[in-house]
Amino acid sequence: MASLSNVHKILLQSFMSRPLWTQTDLEANLTKLFQHFPEESGSRDLDSVVSAINEKLRVLNLELRKGMSEDNGTMYWALVNNKHDKMLEKATNYEIKELNLFKKMLETIIKSPTKEVASKDIINLYQGVEGITASHSDDLVNRLVNENWLTMSDEGKVTMGIRSIIELRHYFTEEFEEDLINECMLCSEIIFKGERCPNNCNAVMHKHCIKKWFQGRREKKFPSWQTSLNFGVLGLGKCNSFLKIKTKKKKKKK
Amino acid sequence: AVVSTQSTGAYHIPIAMSQRGRGGRVHVDSEEEEEYEVESTQTQNQRSQKRKSKAHDDDDDVEYDTQPSASKKKKSQGASASQATEVPLSDEQKEKLVSDCVRYILALDHNKTPIKRDDIVKNVMGDHRGKGLVAWVLERVKKLFADIFGFDFVEVPKKASSKTGAEKTSGIYILRNNTSEEIREALNEIRGNDERESAEKGFLLAILAMIFLNKVVDEDLLFDQLRRLGFYEDEHHEILGDWKKLIENKFTKELYLDRSKTDRRSARTQKAVYEYRIGPRSAMEIQKRKILEFIAVIYGEEIDPVQAKELESDGENEEVEEEEENSNNNNNNNNNNNNNNNNNNNNRTRGGASSSSSNNNNNDNRRSTPVVLANSSQTDSPPPVRTMRSRR
């Protein structure tokens, strides 16, 4: 089995010291690494490098994967586990009971209609788990927020953090019913926080997907809509009129 | 010289394997690692028969070959005429074992828990315990770590005065960073560090420096030194928290420090005296030179290049000696022992004196510092380190 190049190995290693990287930082690192090892052959763009690494990681059921932050549209990368077996159980800084509580929190968030829950309610979930006190739960939430598994808004609302979005995508789709899991109209990725179609039809889109879509267009609205977009909270379901527009757009391009 | 950072994973999706910023220079010869093969086949066989098989992901349609099989289908390393139960596995199953093993090791190493060979056999190999297979899997694992991550999967050197007599190897492994200089430099440049980790590393380095010059330090004395740096025993540090626990528990468990109980009793507290030595992980991850440079900076001295070179070649001699020791399995401590093999109070002279026999003479030790730091004015103002020694 051929080995990865030095640049690939070091990039991979960097995920061990920091589990989450922004795409910008990662690309900067890559540039620095190629400066260190100028004689290395092969493509130097991030996607090719990641591809090469992922090819080797496949046999270990690991993968470098990216995801977009729902707050600021930043692209992040993380090293994720694709097989949920005993082997990697220990690779975590959280105790089993803390993880059980975390699972409950995730469930609560997903089952909430707006996909966000007041932090007070999240913390109080400790009551359903043995061996955790209120203050422990409070502390746990802080740790989870610090490590990007959960996000806390200024008003104290808890939503899904970027790491959960990147790593737990599959877990969510497997574990919960279809109508609880929403997809962004524009990028087809899982969505927790975004904009609702103002056409009253419940379509949801990531704020930054919309920004990208409307880039360069004068009016911030889809032709079939009466009003322009106002950035709000999300809803559920699909937007028929939007679908029409989307497919039209695609046909035009083709 | 040393860095690392913790990272987390969520349940089920535990990922983030931790940091790896080591710069180990001590190169463990690959021959040492294969020494685990020399365990007696008899005991291995008995042990595997007694153990119950753990719940395993593997499919169950594997037949056991219960006859003392001579037909080895897998690559075998040792010369053992194995009586262990042979299980003919498909290539796919073998590769899965290797993959499971790598993931298991990544998980354990995430917390810097040293990985025991026994645990691997128990938790990963499950029913497939044939000795040849374990050895083969570990070899593949080693290659995988090197090829994909750039890690060395190495065995911790065994202490010379081993209580477990017959065993020549420790059977304990760690993951450390590939020792090439350019890789370490590159890694240092891009790695993300967090405050707590950096603080812990700095703290550890300071302690290692204190132990380094003495080889072994009593806990009391170590704490005295730390008090001078502003670490008080009943006070928490603002970044490190309970620093005492950090030393006693974390650093020791992660094999950065070696903490052992002595028979002596403290005159002050009447409790048993504990000694600290440089732990095997530190020895493998941090170059001696780096510790020396650190000390030199503290003292504001230059390192005498001649002496330092002797120190480094000293280091190489150590490895050679260690290898011989392991293969001879004798406890001859007079020549260049590796730090962690030094379990008695022999304090070797540095600077290339390769024949310090069983001498507990403090004078030798006091000489070693000025020799290396190349400044005789040191003797006038004895630095804290020396005071420690003269008390003993």
Side-chain angles (χ1 to χ4, degrees), chain A residues 2-18:
Chain A
S3 94
L4 285 177
S5 75
N6 282 333
V7 171
H8 292 64
K9 286 183 198 174
I10 299 178
L11 200 72
L12 178 56
Q13 279 193 29
S14 67
F15 279 92
M16 306 207 165
S17 59
R18 199 204 285 189

Side-chain angles (χ1 to χ4, degrees), chain B residues 1 20 38 43 60 67 77 83 104 120 122 127 150 154 156-157 216 254 262 272 282 284 321 347 362 375 389:
Chain B
R20 291 252 123 136
V38 190
T43 33
D60 291 328
Q67 291 164 7
Q77 304 240 321
Q83 292 176 23
Y104 180 71
I120 292 184
K122 191 164 56 160
D127 295 333
V154 288
V156 163
V216 56
E254 295 179 356
T262 63
S282 299
M284 292 171 116
E321 296 296 327
N347 289 318
N362 282 341
N375 187 336
R389 265 185 256 138

Side-chain angles (χ1 to χ4, degrees), chain B residues 144-325:
Chain B
L144 240 144
F145 273 121
D147 286 349
I148 301 185
F149 296 92
F151 290 153
D152 290 339
F153 178 59
V154 288
E155 189 159 9
V156 163
K158 195 144 176 69
K159 286 189 175 190
S161 65
S162 60
K163 297 150 197 160
T164 52
E167 318 263 332
K168 292 174 189 163
T169 56
S170 62
I172 301 178
Y173 298 84
I174 59 171
L175 273 183
R176 69 155 185 210
N177 221 328
N178 186 290
T179 54
S180 120
E181 179 81 34
E182 48 175 9
I183 291 191
R184 266 186 287 121
E185 264 176 38
L187 193 60
N188 272 332
E189 221 187 283
I190 70 169
R191 184 213 350 263
N193 279 323
D194 79 56
E195 190 187 48
R196 198 197 159 92
E197 292 302 323
S198 302
E200 284 188 9
K201 283 308 146 194
F203 188 49
L204 174 66
L205 197 53
I207 296 175
L208 288 177
M210 289 174 205
I211 304 179
F212 184 69
L213 296 172
N214 288 292
K215 280 305 181 102
V216 56
V217 162
D218 280 356
E219 192 169 63
D220 290 344
L221 297 174
L222 181 68
F223 288 171
D224 279 348
Q225 298 310 315
L226 290 175
R227 201 173 305 130
R228 293 181 205 219
L229 293 179
F231 288 92
Y232 301 98
E233 278 184 61
D234 40 8
E235 271 178 33
H236 277 211
H237 186 260
E238 57 181 51
I239 301 180
L240 295 172
D242 189 342
W243 60 268
K244 204 156 162 247
K245 220 160 145 211
L246 183 63
I247 299 178
E248 283 172 12
N249 292 350
K250 187 163 186 228
F251 287 162
T252 309
K253 215 179 301 194
E254 295 179 356
L255 302 187
Y256 279 113
L257 292 178
D258 173 354
R259 180 179 194 246
S260 48
K261 202 171 180 181
T262 63
D263 295 328
R264 292 177 283 131
R265 300 234 146 227
S266 160
R268 209 177 354 144
T269 63
Q270 296 310 314
K271 285 201 270 190
V273 169
Y274 283 86
E275 286 179 337
Y276 282 96
R277 291 178 177 77
I278 298 192
R281 197 190 281 271
S282 299
M284 292 171 116
E285 289 183 11
I286 311 171
Q287 286 173 276
K288 287 217 179 83
R289 172 105 201 178
K290 295 288 182 197
I291 302 188
L292 203 53
E293 284 172 6
F294 177 71
I295 297 173
V297 165
I298 304 275
Y299 283 135
E301 299 294 340
E302 298 290 321
I303 301 180
D304 179 1
V306 175
Q307 299 297 348
K309 202 148 190 286
E310 277 188 32
L311 176 73
E312 282 185 39
S313 58
D314 212 23
E316 280 164 50
N317 284 342
E318 275 173 30
E319 294 140 36
V320 170
E321 296 296 327
E322 191 185 331
E323 205 188 325
E324 284 174 8
E325 271 182 43

Side-chain angles (χ1 to χ4, degrees), chain A residues 13 16 36 79 83 92 147, chain B residues 8-9 15 18 103 149 189:
Chain A
Q13 279 193 29
M16 306 207 165
H36 260 272
L79 179 61
K83 183 164 90 143
T92 172
E147 293 175 359
Chain B
T8 52
I15 274 304
S18 68
R103 285 160 60 90
F149 296 92
E189 221 187 283

Side-chain angles (χ1 to χ4, degrees), chain B residues 31-43:
Chain B
E31 278 187 24
E32 273 178 41
E33 289 146 41
E34 289 166 21
E35 303 234 78
Y36 55 70
E37 276 298 271
V38 190
E39 285 175 30
S40 73
T41 8
Q42 201 60 33
T43 33

Side-chain angles (χ1 to χ4, degrees), chain A residues 110-133:
Chain A
I110 290 187
K111 292 196 169 154
S112 113
T114 51
K115 303 285 191 275
E116 63 177 11
V117 182
S119 60
K120 176 171 55 84
D121 296 331
I122 284 284
I123 294 173
N124 281 338
L125 289 172
Y126 77 90
Q127 286 155 358
V129 178
E130 265 188 55
I132 302 203
T133 63

Side-chain angles (χ1 to χ4, degrees), chain A residues 70-82:
Chain A
E70 296 183 325
D71 295 312
N72 53 28
T74 316
M75 200 58 89
Y76 286 91
W77 288 84
L79 179 61
V80 307
N81 177 14
N82 280 334

